Amino acid sequence: MMKIITIGDNVVDCYLDQGKYYPGGNCVNVAVNCKRSGAEEVSYIGVFATDDKAAHLKSVLELEGIPYHRSRVVEGISGQPRVNLTEDGDRVFVGGPKDTVQHIVKLKLIPEDYEYIKGFDVCHTSCYSSIEEELPSLSNYIKVSFDFSDIHDRAYLERVCPYITHGFFSGAHLTDDQLEKLVDELGKYNLETIGITRGSKPALFIYQGNRYYQQVYQTEIVDTMGAGDSFIGGFMTAYYNHHNISDALDFAAKSASKTCGFYGGFGYPMDLE
């Protein structure tokens, strides 16, 4: 059974239309979704602020059974991107404070962290986590999963791809030609799996040189926040729990579909002040 650690971003998403905060951030969302999907052990390392929003994030992780004891605490405020809901259920980011602890502090891993990390099967992180400088060392201890979101430029791929095992990309805005160019560029690197989600179009995964397409499960959309993170968490859990690639993709699509049925990445709202 899979043991996964996620390292990086945490935020509380500010839903202006509801007057509520929801805990989130790519690495927190993936951790929670892995736990809910059946991972044997899940842990999280990040940078927490000292406000009530950080306290809420910690309490949620405790409720989900995810330890965070190797995280850092920095005086300041939590990341709190502001978002509005479109008629289609999509969340649109409309800014947020830029003096958060996630903006001003980078996580520096130390030997004690690595000793802890190497007890897991895989580590997930993201382009939002400001951890690129740690990847060369981190990859010596553990397989790395990385969410690039919609960052596809060659320089960034060259910086990250040599040190990761699993690469996830958002490709909803890509034309078919742009998609093929991205696949060709990623072919330069020895990635075990490449996953490109495409919004309402089938996701494209490449495994051992073969292409796999996963249809999106239709559902009544309440909120798409965190659906991509649920896809990653579901896929990684099923994949490392020895499902075959097709079963893992199907499970991932079902996980993403469930997340679209409620508000926030995984629930737990708190009222705005």
Side-chain angles (χ1 to χ4, degrees):
M1 299 292 285
M2 182 183 72
K3 297 181 179 181
I4 184 170
I5 185 166
T6 70
I7 302 176
D9 58 311
N10 66 73
V11 300
V12 286
D13 294 305
C14 176
Y15 280 36
L16 299 176
D17 55 308
Q18 290 188 14
K20 295 184 183 297
Y21 287 111
Y22 286 85
N26 174 267
C27 290
V28 168
N29 288 342
V30 170
V32 171
N33 278 284
C34 285
K35 185 71 173 182
R36 292 181 177 182
S37 295
E40 178 182 359
E41 186 176 349
V42 182
S43 189
Y44 170 75
I45 298 177
V47 178
F48 288 106
T50 50
D51 55 10
D52 60 334
K53 300 164 187 64
H56 184 58
L57 281 162
K58 291 178 182 178
S59 68
V60 165
L61 289 172
E62 290 167 6
L63 288 170
E64 292 288 334
I66 299 172
Y68 55 85
H69 58 285
R70 293 218 60 86
S71 295
R72 282 54 158 172
V73 177
V74 175
E75 184 74 29
I77 64 173
S78 298
Q80 42 199 286
R82 300 186 179 109
V83 291
N84 270 326
L85 184 66
T86 69
E87 293 181 358
D88 297 325
D90 288 324
R91 286 284 160 188
V92 178
F93 290 94
V94 292
K98 301 299 183 184
D99 57 347
T100 71
V101 298
Q102 287 81 15
H103 279 103
I104 64 177
V105 174
K106 287 185 179 182
L107 186 63
K108 173 66 177 177
L109 299 175
I110 61 174
E112 289 80 1
D113 294 322
Y114 287 124
E115 187 63 29
Y116 180 66
I117 289 166
K118 71 181 185 181
F120 294 83
D121 299 312
V122 63
C123 169
H124 177 79
T125 188
S126 76
C127 61
Y128 306 111
S129 301
S130 301
I131 203 169
E132 290 85 358
E133 294 174 5
E134 301 294 318
L135 291 176
S137 296
L138 182 62
S139 64
N140 289 328
Y141 291 87
I142 193 170
K143 291 182 176 181
V144 178
S145 160
F146 197 93
D147 186 358
F148 291 81
S149 186
D150 57 359
I151 302 176
H152 306 150
D153 64 272
R154 181 175 297 176
Y156 193 70
L157 296 180
E158 290 176 349
R159 186 180 183 192
V160 173
C161 287
Y163 308 108
I164 67 172
T165 301
H166 309 282
F168 296 94
F169 300 82
S170 175
H173 63 290
L174 297 179
T175 65
D176 290 343
D177 184 58
Q178 290 171 329
L179 178 68
E180 291 304 320
K181 288 181 178 178
L182 175 60
V183 170
D184 287 344
E185 187 67 27
L186 293 171
K188 300 176 182 178
Y189 305 99
N190 187 31
L191 301 186
E192 187 173 314
T193 60
I194 297 167
I196 306 172
T197 56
R198 305 194 68 197
S200 61
K201 297 179 181 179
L204 167 63
F205 267 64
I206 300 175
Y207 171 66
Q208 294 182 343
N210 296 315
R211 294 192 178 201
Y212 297 80
Y213 293 91
Q214 176 58 51
Q215 296 287 339
V216 175
Y217 277 92
Q218 298 300 316
T219 187
E220 182 177 348
I221 296 177
V222 173
D223 181 13
T224 58
M225 180 69 78
D229 302 336
S230 296
F231 194 103
I232 293 172
F235 174 80
M236 294 296 289
T237 304
Y239 181 78
Y240 274 86
N241 281 346
H242 309 298
H243 293 198
N244 65 44
I245 190 76
S246 296
D247 288 345
L249 286 171
D250 185 69
F251 185 83
K254 289 177 179 176
S255 296
S257 176
K258 289 178 183 177
T259 299
C260 290
F262 54 81
Y263 290 106
F266 53 90
Y268 298 105
M270 66 179 289
D271 291 332
L272 299 181
E273 297 109 341

